[in-house]
Amino acid sequence: MCMVIFAPLFAIFAFATCGGYSGELEVSVDCANKTESDLSIEIEFTYPFRLHQVYFDAPTCEGKRHERLFLIGDFSSSAEFFVTIAVFAFLYSLAATVVYIFFQNKYRENNRGPLIDFIVTVVFSFLWLVSSSAWAKGLSDVKVATDPNEILLLMSACKQQSNKCLSIHSPVMSGLNTSVVFGFLNFILWAGNIWFVFKETGWNTAGQRYPQSSNEKQQSGFNKAYVQGGYDQESSVQTGAYNQQAMYGQQPNYGPAGSYGQQAYSQGGYNPSGPTSFTNQM
């Protein structure tokens, strides 16, 4: 449900804050000859940040002559890649929302819908991570390339100590910073949704399709315990009988070995019939 609500919203914020950006910086060149000065040089740049195509005219402080300068860098690849992923993610999340709400039966038919949804979610998670990382690096380079102090280094008039070059204001980058934040938020959102889509595929319950095997294990364990219990009971009965014979002076019959034991016991002088025989002789 969170995916349905936040995925389109976060995607909109991501591509709107980056694709709709327009920035401006301003510098001034105060020449030794005041008539040659230009105290307000405005430089505008926009998405997709092909800065090498952005130019401005600056005084050379050598008469009325001006020079045309260009900014440095082309960061359109990372910016356009980021915005493209955001747009496609927005469109897919809208389509998925419609399917979830109005075509739930078709979505679950033959498990094809959850499978496709799972694959697309994994792909978009990876693309959000790559595009957000690339755009974060690109934004860092854009900030350096549009720093007014870096722009002043391009002007020949600012290399002369008699002229004064100042930075009036820097471009506001808060919108672009927000786009990077929403890029990584989208990655977290899509990556977190992988588990929920995975459960819809039914793959997580594949190991539970044959529950009878566990019942058989339980029944086998029960039979084993029953047999062992019967064996223990039989052993206890035999042990009790043996103890009972021992209490009444009866010896168990051990066959020939037992007879030999009695004979040896009699020859040892402890035969109880000995004294009786002696009395009769007297």
Side-chain angles (χ1 to χ4, degrees):
M1 190 64 182
C2 293
M3 182 68 180
V4 173
I5 297 175
F6 292 108
L9 187 63
F10 282 10
I12 289 175
F13 282 128
F15 72 74
T17 52
C18 179
Y21 179 81
S22 177
E24 182 183 67
L25 61 96
E26 185 176 357
V27 296
S28 67
V29 178
D30 188 7
C31 300
N33 185 358
K34 302 300 183 182
T35 58
E36 301 174 354
S37 301
D38 190 348
L39 303 180
S40 178
I41 303 176
E42 298 179 353
I43 306 173
E44 296 182 359
F45 62 96
T46 60
Y47 171 85
F49 308 104
R50 294 187 176 94
L51 300 183
H52 66 288
Q53 297 179 357
V54 178
Y55 63 88
F56 60 96
D57 295 328
T60 60
C61 295
E62 296 176 356
K64 297 295 184 179
R65 188 170 65 90
H66 286 69
E67 61 180 351
R68 175 159 291 183
L69 301 173
F70 289 83
L71 299 182
I72 299 175
D74 181 7
F75 311 102
S76 59
S77 59
S78 59
E80 290 177 340
F81 179 47
F82 178 79
V83 171
T84 301
I85 296 302
V87 171
F88 277 104
F90 169 74
L91 295 177
Y92 177 78
S93 59
L94 283 183
T97 301
V98 173
V99 172
Y100 291 158
I101 297 176
F102 299 103
F103 303 98
Q104 187 65 232
N105 294 332
K106 291 290 185 181
Y107 174 77
R108 298 181 180 277
E109 185 177 356
N110 297 328
N111 204 32
R112 183 177 301 176
L115 178 60
I116 296 175
D117 194 15
F118 174 75
I119 296 174
V120 174
T121 302
V122 172
V123 171
F124 267 112
S125 300
F126 174 74
L127 292 178
W128 271 118
L129 177 61
V130 174
S131 63
S132 299
S133 301
W135 172 229
K137 178 61 171 61
L139 177 57
S140 177
D141 295 336
V142 169
K143 291 180 179 180
V144 174
T146 57
D147 187 357
N149 294 323
E150 296 292 330
I151 303 300
L152 294 176
L153 296 178
L154 302 176
M155 302 179 184
S156 58
C158 298
K159 298 177 182 179
Q160 302 175 8
Q161 296 182 353
S162 59
N163 303 321
K164 295 181 180 179
C165 299
L166 299 175
S167 170
I168 298 178
H169 72 78
S170 301
V172 179
M173 297 289 187
S174 58
L176 297 180
N177 293 332
T178 304
S179 67
V180 174
V181 173
F182 275 105
F184 285 106
L185 286 178
N186 275 285
F187 162 69
I188 296 174
L189 180 64
W190 284 79
N193 192 53
I194 291 177
W195 168 246
F196 298 100
V197 180
F198 176 74
K199 291 196 301 182
E200 293 291 332
T201 61
W203 291 344
N204 62 322
T205 58
Q208 302 177 2
R209 293 181 178 178
Y210 303 99
Q212 63 272 18
S213 60
S214 60
N215 294 334
E216 291 177 357
K217 291 182 179 180
Q218 293 179 357
Q219 185 176 1
S220 176
F222 176 78
N223 294 335
K224 184 177 179 181
Y226 178 79
V227 172
Q228 185 176 2
Y231 177 77
D232 293 341
Q233 183 177 4
E234 182 179 357
S235 299
S236 62
V237 170
Q238 292 179 356
T239 304
Y242 177 79
N243 293 335
Q244 185 176 6
Q245 291 178 359
M247 290 178 60
Y248 289 98
Q250 298 179 359
Q251 295 183 357
N253 185 11
Y254 292 102
S259 301
Y260 177 80
Q262 289 182 354
Q263 183 179 1
Y265 182 82
S266 300
Q267 292 178 358
Y270 296 97
N271 191 350
S273 62
T276 306
S277 177
F278 180 75
T279 304
N280 293 332
Q281 292 178 1
M282 289 295 293

